């Protein structure tokens, strides 16, 4: 099957479809291992903010994984330790708290926390493809409503590579389903970041072709998890139901 007909034109990514779904959440946690806590002595409450982790993303990823019966991969430590959504040689893989470490300590961080996570996701994708399947990878993130004084103008962003037919198709299909179901929210493609920017999905695209791998990042505005608990609860339910409807049908 070539990429042009990889995705059905109807809403029918159902149980008999060979696409396997996996859910990941690279910025799920804000913990720091004991060995490195001293490095964060001057961090104040930064670990509790959007700089430390993706607020709300872990809850969404867990529920999404459950409802889609899809395997879940979640980061266990703060992105400020080592960023799981950056490749190992990216200039921002280490934060200002860890960038000054000796080279051997940096290698240790990569080897202990970064490589095992990324390798486990890659191995899962590889395994499914080797078994004749194709993988839809949903990577769950969230973004701060205001960055450097600029108010972000979306509630949910869908990041993908526009050159990949399957990703373009499934993103449009997701957005259409969201627009039909939750028409009071604002949706944008490749916002607040470009889908082709460095990320776990971007790295996996280099290893797996359009025909067998599609990586979509959800970017959720943190005004939901940081707002009224009732509204967050209702958003979570609506979000999960809508993704399920889009991917598995009514
Ligand atoms: Zn993130």
């Amino acid at each position: 099957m070539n990429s042009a007909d990889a995705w059905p034109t109807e809403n029918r990514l159902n149980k008999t479809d060979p696409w396997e779904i996996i859910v990941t959440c690279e910025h799920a946690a804000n913990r720091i291992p004991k060995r490195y806590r001293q490095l964060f002595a001057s961090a104040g409450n930064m670990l509790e903010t959007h700089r430390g982790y993706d607020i709300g993303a872990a809850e969404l990823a867990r529920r999404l994984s459950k409802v889609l019966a899809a395997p879940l991969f979640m980061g266990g430590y703060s992105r400020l330790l080592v960023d799981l959504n950056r490749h190992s040689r990216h200039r921002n893989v280490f934060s200002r708290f860890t960038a000054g470490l000796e080279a051997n300590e940096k290698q240790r961080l990569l080897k202990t926390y970064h490589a095992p996570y990324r390798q486990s996701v890659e191995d899962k994708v590889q395994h499914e493809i080797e078994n004749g399947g194709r993988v839809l990878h949903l990577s769950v993130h969230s973004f701060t409503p205001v960055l450097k004084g600029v108010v972000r103008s979306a509630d949910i962003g869908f990041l993908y590579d526009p050159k990949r037919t399957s990703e373009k198709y499934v993103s449009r299909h997701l957005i259409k389903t969201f627009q039909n179901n939750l028409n009071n929210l604002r949706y944008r493609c490749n916002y607040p970041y470009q889908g082709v920017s460095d990320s776990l999905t971007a790295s996996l695209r280099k290893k797996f072709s359009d025909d067998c791998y599609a990586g979509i990042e959800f970017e959720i505005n943190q005004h939901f998890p940081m707002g009224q608990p009732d509204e967050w609860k209702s958003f979570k339910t609506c979000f999960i139901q809508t993704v399920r409807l889009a991917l598995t049908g009514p």
Side-chain angles (χ1 to χ4, degrees), residues 11 13-15 21 64 66-69 138 173-174 177-178 218 237-250:
N11 173 19
L13 230 184
N14 57 35
K15 288 190 176 69
I21 300 173
L64 206 50
K66 200 169 169 188
V67 86
L68 296 171
L138 304 175
H173 174 62
L174 279 163
T177 313
F178 269 94
F218 288 115
T237 302
C238 291
F239 176 84
I240 300 301
Q241 282 174 350
T242 307
V243 175
R244 179 169 62 176
L245 176 66
L247 300 182
T248 67

Side-chain angles (χ1 to χ4, degrees), residues 195-207:
V196 292
S197 301
D198 183 49
S199 60
L200 179 58
T201 52
S203 293
L204 292 171
R205 278 180 206 126
K206 289 180 186 152
K207 300 186 175 182

Side-chain angles (χ1 to χ4, degrees), residues 8 12 19 22 34 36-37 95 110 115 122 127 173 175 232:
R12 56 179 188 84
W19 289 86
I22 66 166
K34 204 171 173 186
Y36 300 101
R37 276 187 207 147
S95 73
L110 290 173
E122 185 182 328
H127 176 79
H173 174 62
I175 290 173
W232 171 226

Side-chain angles (χ1 to χ4, degrees), residues 85-99:
N85 210 34
R86 296 283 172 263
H87 69 71
S88 60
R89 294 169 312 285
H90 192 278
R91 66 184 188 286
N92 293 330
V93 70
F94 297 107
S95 73
R96 66 181 172 88
F97 298 99
T98 50

Side-chain angles (χ1 to χ4, degrees), residues 24-26 73 84-87 117-119 121-122 137 139 141 197-206 213 217:
T24 72
C25 190
E26 287 64 54
F73 299 82
L84 301 177
N85 210 34
R86 296 283 172 263
H87 69 71
Y117 177 84
R118 292 181 54 114
Q119 195 62 50
V121 178
E122 185 182 328
H137 172 190
S139 172
H141 295 264
S197 301
D198 183 49
S199 60
L200 179 58
T201 52
S203 293
L204 292 171
R205 278 180 206 126
K206 289 180 186 152
Y213 171 82
E217 289 174 276

